[in-house]
Amino acid sequence: MGLLAQAQESTVQSVTSPDGNLTLRFELGEGGAPRYSLQYKGKDVVKPSGMGFRLKDGTALVDYFRLVKASQSEKDETWKPVWGEENEIRDHHKELLVELEQTSSKRLMNIRFRVFDHALGFRYEFPQQRNLSYFVITDECTQFAMTGDHIAWWIPGDYDTQEYDYTRSRLSEIRGLMTGSITGNLSQTSFSPTGVQTALMLKSDDGLYINLHEAALVDYPCMHLDLDDKNFVFTSWLTPYPNGDKAYMQSACRTPWRTVIVSDDARDILASRVTLNLNEPCKLEDTSWIKPCKYMGVWWEMITGKSEWSYTYDAPNIHLGQTDYAKLKPHGRHGATTGNVKRYIDFASKHGFDALLVEGWNIGWEDWFGNAKDEVFDFVTPYPDFDLPGIRDYARQKGIKMIMHHETSSSIRNYERRMDEAYRFMKENGYDAVKSGYVGNIIPPGQNHYNQWHVNHYLYAVKKAAEYKIMVNAHEAVRPTGLCRTYPNLIGNESARGSEYQAFGGSKPGHTAILPFTRLIGGPMDYTPGLFENDIKKYNPNNSSWVNTTLCNQLSLYVSMSSPLQMAADLPETYERFMDAFQFIKDVEVDWDQSWYLEAEPMEYVTVARKAKGKDLWFVGGTNGEQPRISVINLNFLPAGKYVAIIYQDGKDAHYKENPQNYVISTKKVSPKTKLKIWTAAGGGYAISIRPQ
Amino acid sequence: MGLLAQAQESTVQSVTSPDGNLTLRFELGEGGAPRYSLQYKGKDVVKPSGMGFRLKDGTALVDYFRLVKASQSEKDETWKPVWGEENEIRDHHKELLVELEQTSSKRLMNIRFRVFDHALGFRYEFPQQRNLSYFVITDECTQFAMTGDHIAWWIPGDYDTQEYDYTRSRLSEIRGLMTGSITGNLSQTSFSPTGVQTALMLKSDDGLYINLHEAALVDYPCMHLDLDDKNFVFTSWLTPYPNGDKAYMQSACRTPWRTVIVSDDARDILASRVTLNLNEPCKLEDTSWIKPCKYMGVWWEMITGKSEWSYTYDAPNIHLGQTDYAKLKPHGRHGATTGNVKRYIDFASKHGFDALLVEGWNIGWEDWFGNAKDEVFDFVTPYPDFDLPGIRDYARQKGIKMIMHHETSSSIRNYERRMDEAYRFMKENGYDAVKSGYVGNIIPPGQNHYNQWHVNHYLYAVKKAAEYKIMVNAHEAVRPTGLCRTYPNLIGNESARGSEYQAFGGSKPGHTAILPFTRLIGGPMDYTPGLFENDIKKYNPNNSSWVNTTLCNQLSLYVSMSSPLQMAADLPETYERFMDAFQFIKDVEVDWDQSWYLEAEPMEYVTVARKAKGKDLWFVGGTNGEQPRISVINLNFLPAGKYVAIIYQDGKDAHYKENPQNYVISTKKVSPKTKLKIWTAAGGGYAISIRPQ
């Protein structure tokens, strides 16, 4: 034991962030067990926490390690994303690489830590070696030992969905609140009464904001966190295969990065670029075809139940390639008809949109869900009342790009088999972007959305799309972890409770004030804002859902929730009623030179200003949660000069329930010295567009 | 109950074969439960047996049925297979279609019976209907109630392999013999101590030969049979999904046919065409590119361990696309080297073969097995010492077609993703046929080879191959059920214990005298005969296996086990030592105008004569089992005329163990009146080629 003690002593390693505030400490604890801890400005963020793995062969990689080598390095470089919140991103970090050997087994495992000014990232790396060539991970033992009973903004851990409303509670309260937090979803598999998802947002009683997530999830299962609610220790909980195995590994290999973002200012969480910085540089040689865009959709009318994806009720079920739709009586409620689509094209074109998504254009929607149906869609056959060539030509003439829709119904083998043909068909018909969907249980049943097998699929689809120069906006896929840096044709993901839930019973008013701290840490979300009509009954008398925001809150989202793909989700006829407010959606940009995080508190408010990419245009979005408040911002992000600001703000009686469409639009001359005080309603917000005078 | 009783009475239906010998009887038994029974020449073959299904929703389709309609019809037509044992096949049967409604649920289920002279086929059909649109089968309840404790030639039921030696026993003895019959395999999952596979061969004490199998296995799990060994009743046992579900069904749909072949003459079992007749006609418009062929392979030297599939021992593992083989030291035991392949091409060309298979030509064999490795092969990258273009050109010049090898290691998603590229690569390089392999557990683990999901894959591969005009010879795929009629590019399957086991410890001497009654009922087998060297030690000092046949037994297989794809499996240098016997392999044809089954007894002997397709050449193969015997045959299958026969027979001291290479070749003038008596050794056999004088 003398030798071990000696080894231990030399194994304490630490590395501090460039600004000196964040310190990572690594050591081999008792029995050669790797441990890390994290301090911010002298305060504990993560107490000494366990690391390693349990393997299927009965062995573990959790102890009996000796330090072979520890090395430190520093990197400070700037790179240019294809699109995003900034036109340049600085990657400045210090790195500690710990090379370990398990003395009992002679197996090698390295841990690479990177410490940024407000964030830690670390991952496990397994060099190619005969003693650890192929191995099966049954548990990852990475822990995040919190210092106390923090406030958490959490959603239930789940192998199949992230589409939950957030709950704000103490860690100790999670267990009691879990059952009530697991609201219905078309596919869901929870696993623990204290299991929660990442990105997880936390706040300590001493004022630290802490965010736990992962970066670069490639060929590995999605990580959840299971809480020991006596000791406030989270442990990594990987999404399993049906047989319980978690990950099939082949050295050389590595895990995704585990990330901890921390600050005493909540705005730093939003400003952190750690998730992107921990991903690989862009692997696409030519990115000229990747174009951020603002779009509309023949979509909300189906979501609300005003119209339908399907074409007919006239057949018990559909056999692709056999069912003759021409012989079936249409039910008359089909949304994606040629006439209706052209009406959207006209509107989108008139108001300067780039693109139009159409769902329900292809055969198979009559029985697409819940039937474990293998060959559910073919992705190339339009309904008889959707004149694809006609629409294609009309859209081209009107300057509108069509966005394809590939709902897979989670029949993933069927999608992979037909993918080449589907992508070719898109390109032949001028579609450059696809919204893909993975609704419902994976087919065949027994699998889950977020395990290694399907994590692999989502990236496969993105990479194959890139071969065809197709942009992907994947819904119900695993939540993003910054892979859009490496594959910037991944222009969007859903992977959270999107706008659609406003037609499924509504979301909490603070929902969009927490998403930037959680879901958006991994990448942009196709949240589909722009809902101007709160009363869904007006679209569908059988749907009594209510959009729990003010109209100005909806406008704010185009800025506060950055995405290279932004929808105006509501119906043309609704926008016609509010053309003055709609002007903001017409004006707002979707790609940025720079962003400023002006105010932020999880689930309460987020205020962001952004400069349009390559243009002297600025936009501000102030998204408020459930409590009315006064937002106070300085416009000192503007360069010296004189500007005109158009301010879209909640009217004095505005309230997400009582008076959501109450808004005021004003024009004001502003300068970098201007300070604005803007009252925001419950569930409200504001939006500002600024241009040089 | 009065009404039910009344309904019952009218439900007894029966239909008799064209020759009047076989009678199928159907009735709705007590409680409206469908039952069938079968008689042959007045003897019971199948006693009244249950039918139907249990469904996942807790309901069943086993009783409460009423007869809606019963109708009979007769069909007598002749069709021409692309290849096979005959150039014309007669499909003469009487049909009974029973249309049932489950009175409790208003669900419709039809049962279609077809009675041929020596066979019954029946299947379940579900018309498209709202009350039974999508349903999940958890159990098929089809029974085969035997009349007594028959002799059975059986292999253990298994979800992953058919590669077992056959056991001959009474039904009542199966349970006691099961454990000993489950010999090791690289992937195996047995399920019941009385579970056996189809095609199952039986013989009753009153002299009836009975064969149970299925035809047209499409989009449904492979059926096994579970025996109630008190009552001698078999029940269908379907291969499940990992979650226990058996089949996902969507009406309109139907099950495969369940077949019972029966006769008092064992030769009728071999002559039956029921499996093909119950399959759909050919779906390929152009079949001109499908060509039976006789081939050699760079294969047996790897099977015996004389050489290896892999190239190097110099890396812990292989990463496709990353591992640089040029930097790895070759181990020098690689079989598929350019030089060695050219040597085989020379030999095959010199002796008139059509084609050459090469295994181990492509990268990835170093760690291909047992690692649950997703991206295990890419199917397009040759090893550095395999000059693919050079070999391609050399083979073309020598008139030899190259046969591609796609081992998948059961990483089926990887294969499907790469299939188009792999098939394109084949065609670009002049390969028109592929041997595919599914060795080892399905990746990811938890799935089985024979469930609905993978049954679907094997046919997907065949259909996609047809698009590329590629012939498929699939090993370790589900056993065939006559689908080669519909997709005649499926020119071969393994799906049983092939010749390779003669290098893995040996097979029973009677093995090839039972395969025609079992495995071959579903279609041709790539058995790979032609092993002239019995002592495997001569190839690999570490391999003490022995080929348990005489040399003449090997020759007989080219005729007794018909296949459009026949290999000469042994090494060129071995054939050089036996050029007189090798002459038969050079001469024998692989496609036929007509076949005559001269003698047959399961596992004891099979003697078949065949006329070459479009040529005045006849061949006879007499395959003997473990007991020496005298084969007595008439050559009255020959048309009037005078002929020369070359007879290859066991020498008088021949014995599969003691003196297997003892043979005698004689030439004899023969006519249709000639009667031959030929002694065959233990594990022996004979072969005859006949041409006009």
Side-chain angles (χ1 to χ4, degrees), chain A residues 56 128-130 132-134 136 219 241-243 245 248-253 313-319 322-323 367 371-375 411-414 416-418 420 424 443-447 452-454 456-457 460 464, chain B residues 56 128-130 132-134 136 219 241-243 245 248-253 313-319 322-323 367 371-375 411-414 416-418 420 424 443-447 452-454 456-457 460 464:
Chain A
K56 194 173 189 180
Q128 198 179 41
Q129 55 192 300
R130 289 196 190 269
L132 194 66
S133 179
Y134 287 92
V136 181
D219 203 19
Y241 281 87
N243 68 351
D245 295 347
Y248 295 95
M249 308 292 284
Q250 177 192 355
S251 65
C253 58
Y313 306 144
D314 205 24
N317 56 47
I318 302 299
H319 290 266
Q322 293 172 43
T323 300
D367 56 354
N371 295 313
K373 182 179 180 179
D374 182 355
E375 298 198 71
S411 183
I412 287 174
R413 182 176 73 176
N414 178 59
E416 289 201 4
R417 286 178 174 181
R418 297 173 186 271
D420 277 296
R424 264 197 303 271
I443 297 168
Q447 284 277 0
Q452 185 184 26
W453 197 247
H454 294 109
N456 178 297
H457 163 79
Y460 174 79
K464 191 172 264 290
Chain B
K56 194 174 189 180
Q128 197 180 40
Q129 54 192 302
R130 291 198 187 269
L132 194 65
S133 179
Y134 287 93
V136 181
D219 202 20
Y241 281 88
N243 68 350
D245 295 346
Y248 295 95
M249 308 293 283
Q250 176 192 354
S251 66
C253 57
Y313 305 143
D314 204 23
N317 56 47
I318 301 300
H319 290 266
Q322 293 172 44
T323 300
D367 58 354
N371 296 313
K373 184 179 180 179
D374 182 356
E375 297 199 72
S411 184
I412 287 174
R413 184 176 72 175
N414 178 60
E416 289 202 3
R417 285 178 174 181
R418 297 174 186 272
D420 278 295
R424 263 197 303 271
I443 297 167
Q447 284 276 0
Q452 185 184 26
W453 197 248
H454 294 108
N456 178 297
H457 163 79
Y460 174 79
K464 192 173 264 292

Side-chain angles (χ1 to χ4, degrees), chain B residues 436-448:
Chain B
S436 57
Y438 298 91
V439 173
N441 291 329
I442 300 283
I443 297 167
Q447 284 276 0
N448 296 107

Side-chain angles (χ1 to χ4, degrees), chain B residues 295-310 333-348 353 355-362 365 383 385-386 391 394-395 400-406 431 435 500 526 528 567-573 575:
Chain B
Y295 74 107
M296 295 190 69
V298 181
W299 173 73
W300 188 241
E301 57 179 82
M302 285 89 94
I303 291 288
T304 56
K306 183 178 191 296
S307 69
E308 297 194 17
W309 284 271
S310 70
R333 296 180 37 76
H334 186 217
T337 64
T338 303
N340 197 34
V341 170
K342 285 188 176 172
R343 185 173 69 90
Y344 275 83
I345 291 173
D346 287 343
F347 184 88
F353 283 83
L356 179 70
L357 165 75
V358 181
E359 297 200 359
W361 68 277
N362 59 323
W365 286 92
Y383 276 123
D385 57 353
F386 182 88
I391 289 167
Y394 191 77
I400 292 293
K401 298 290 298 180
M402 297 297 292
I403 298 180
M404 177 51 78
H405 184 228
H406 289 168
Y431 291 75
K435 172 183 172 180
E500 63 189 5
D526 184 31
T528 68
M567 191 184 211
D570 218 323
L571 309 188
E573 55 267 41
Y575 289 134

